[in-house]
Amino acid sequence: KEKLLVLAVLISFAGYSLSEEENVARLLASKNVLNQYLVEGRDLTVQYTIFNIGGSAALDVNLKEESFPEQDFEVVKGNLNVKWERIAPGTNVSHVVVLRPLQFGYFNFTAAEVSYKPSENAASAVVGFTSAPGEGGIVGSKDFDRKFSPHVLDWLVFAIMTLPSLTIPFLLFYRSKSRYDTPKPKKN
Amino acid sequence: MSSKKDKAQKSLTKEEELLLQDFSRNVSTKSSALFYGNALIVSAIPIWLFWRIHQMDLYQSGILFAVGTLVSTYLVAFAYKNVKFVLKHKIAQKREDAVTREMTKKFSDDKKMTRKERDERILWKKNEVADYEATTFSIFYNNAFYLVLLILCSFYVLKNFSPMFNYLMSVGLAAGLLALFSTSNK
């Protein structure tokens, strides 16, 4: 009997939400870090995509990103607070922000906030959250350089530095050798 | 009679001296200075590599660099001496004829020199030439070998270890192997 009651409640809720779906906007937001490597002092790209899976347009959409403290991340390009007047049903919008981490270490990328009006006559805004990319490790610039930089100039300078200690002894040896070397016997 | 004996002893001692110099592993002060100087230069060059490419801080790793350079200098100078000693005899044998010819030509018009003195001078010149050539070749060969070993160790074998460990092991291995190979009697 209890099971039947629970089932009834669930069906009624589903019925309710299904009927409402057609006239209401419903937004799903994702937040992705597009970098393969997160390096201190180098650009970090974050992409936000908002999908409207509802039946009507979402109005007054606000994306509020507050999870990047100013002393740890510098904004290179883009805005952390974005507004869209209208997102049509069945469409999506995307927004990209380029940041630069000022410190290295582990950083937890948390969700940003999305608020919108699901319909024209909605009383209050609906607040939702984007997906959270999770924890990422920001590599220090020295470690990254050590691993990936080609260091062409450094190798060149190294070669120039070692040249005297190699060529001078060899030249001296060769000079003396050519002076005293026994001439090869001539073929008859 | 005693003076004649003394004179004979003296000239023998001079030849003995030359022979001793030939066969002993001890090098003169000038050679020693040359060896240590070159060894120091060669041992100091890797510091640039580690500073720039492995991003090791100069001031933080200063003591490590100093210790590594000193140990490496000692071992490389040791290798120089050994290789030079082995080479000297080979070169002396090769250059014997050419040196003798040159010196005989030089002294042919000097009638006042005795045969013994001429031989002594030829022997001395042979020794000098062999010494010089062995020294320069030893320095060249050991420098090249050391640098190759160091680059191999540091950038292939020990690529993924921490820079400090990398430096100590690369310099230690390179200098150590150099010293080891120099003690072979080929």
Side-chain angles (χ1 to χ4, degrees):
Chain A
K1 232 187 182 177
E2 254 188 44
K3 275 193 198 169
L4 271 172
L5 188 66
V6 169
L7 200 63
V9 169
L10 275 172
I11 292 175
S12 63
F13 265 127
Y16 176 75
S17 57
L18 267 172
S19 64
E20 289 287 274
E21 210 54 62
E22 289 176 10
N23 304 326
V24 177
R26 216 166 128 76
L27 293 183
L28 292 177
S30 82
K31 171 175 162 179
N32 290 314
V33 176
L34 298 180
N35 282 39
Q36 198 189 13
Y37 275 100
L38 307 174
V39 187
E40 173 199 355
R42 288 180 196 236
D43 290 351
L44 188 155
T45 314
V46 186
Q47 183 187 49
Y48 303 88
T49 318
I50 306 178
F51 303 84
N52 188 353
I53 61 168
S56 91
L59 303 162
D60 213 2
V61 184
N62 278 313
L63 173 70
K64 214 171 16 168
E65 173 62 83
E66 280 174 349
S67 69
F68 295 114
E70 258 190 53
Q71 67 263 34
D72 289 335
F73 289 91
E74 181 194 335
V75 179
V76 177
K77 220 158 170 69
N79 288 313
L80 293 176
N81 295 305
V82 198
K83 284 192 175 60
W84 287 272
E85 263 187 39
R86 200 172 174 276
I87 299 181
T91 61
N92 55 39
V93 291
S94 72
H95 177 67
V96 172
V97 179
V98 180
L99 300 163
R100 192 171 293 160
L102 299 173
Q103 313 249 11
F104 62 88
Y106 283 103
F107 183 77
N108 199 8
F109 292 89
T110 53
E113 205 181 274
V114 178
S115 68
Y116 63 100
K117 271 202 191 154
S119 62
E120 223 161 292
N121 359 337
S124 61
V126 173
V127 176
F129 291 95
T130 65
S131 63
E135 199 181 49
I138 300 174
V139 179
S141 59
K142 274 196 177 176
D143 292 310
F144 185 76
D145 272 341
R146 186 187 305 139
K147 213 171 166 191
F148 291 104
S149 171
H151 295 292
V152 176
L153 200 66
D154 298 326
W155 278 107
L156 210 66
V157 175
F158 174 72
I160 294 174
M161 280 202 297
T162 56
L163 230 53
S165 60
L166 287 176
T167 50
I168 294 178
F170 183 70
L171 280 174
L172 291 174
F173 165 76
Y174 194 70
R175 223 168 16 141
S176 174
K177 176 182 152 116
S178 52
R179 189 171 155 200
Y180 287 112
D181 215 353
T182 46
K184 288 199 176 114
K186 285 194 185 143
K187 287 184 188 166
N188 279 330
Chain B
M1 208 167 99
S2 60
S3 62
K4 248 193 184 173
K5 213 179 173 186
D6 280 341
K7 206 174 177 187
Q9 266 189 339
K10 263 195 201 155
S11 56
L12 240 140
T13 327
K14 208 172 173 190
E15 243 175 51
E16 269 182 358
E17 255 180 52
L18 258 173
L19 278 170
L20 265 176
Q21 205 183 63
D22 217 26
F23 286 105
S24 85
R25 283 178 181 256
N26 294 330
V27 285
S28 66
T29 343
K30 188 175 124 193
S31 269
S32 193
L34 197 69
F35 281 159
Y36 276 102
N38 270 289
L40 191 67
I41 294 174
V42 159
S43 306
I45 288 177
I47 296 180
W48 165 266
L49 268 187
F50 277 88
W51 175 37
R52 286 306 207 128
I53 299 183
H54 288 281
Q55 308 274 328
M56 274 176 91
D57 190 31
L58 256 188
Y59 296 110
Q60 268 180 358
S61 326
I63 300 175
L64 197 72
F65 283 150
V67 166
T69 308
L70 284 173
V71 169
S72 165
T73 306
Y74 176 74
L75 287 171
V76 171
F78 177 75
Y80 283 156
K81 279 185 229 167
N82 287 346
V83 171
K84 175 207 160 175
F85 178 71
V86 168
L87 272 180
K88 192 167 159 182
H89 291 281
K90 277 199 243 175
I91 293 179
Q93 282 172 345
K94 276 196 205 170
R95 305 274 176 266
E96 196 168 352
D97 293 332
V99 173
T100 317
R101 237 180 306 131
E102 193 184 322
M103 295 305 281
T104 328
K105 220 191 306 175
K106 195 168 162 192
F107 295 138
S108 60
D109 24 310
D110 193 351
K111 304 284 181 195
K112 280 188 242 169
M113 215 179 292
T114 60
R115 193 194 161 83
K116 202 165 197 178
E117 213 178 299
R118 206 175 295 176
D119 283 343
E120 223 172 68
R121 289 220 185 161
I122 290 175
L123 183 65
W124 177 84
K125 179 76 178 172
K126 202 167 46 143
N127 187 40
E128 203 204 350
V129 167
D131 198 83
Y132 181 75
E133 276 191 30
T135 306
T136 51
F137 191 76
S138 165
I139 294 179
F140 164 72
Y141 172 78
N142 280 311
N143 281 356
F145 200 24
Y146 177 76
L147 288 171
V148 166
L149 274 177
L150 189 92
I151 292 177
L152 271 177
C153 277
S154 160
F155 292 95
Y156 288 98
V157 177
L158 300 171
K159 192 163 58 153
N160 296 316
F161 289 82
S162 82
M164 289 203 172
F165 183 71
N166 196 336
Y167 175 73
L168 277 174
M169 284 302 285
S170 308
V171 166
L173 267 178
L177 282 173
L178 204 71
L180 189 70
F181 284 131
S182 73
T183 55
S184 79
N185 284 321
K186 262 197 284 189

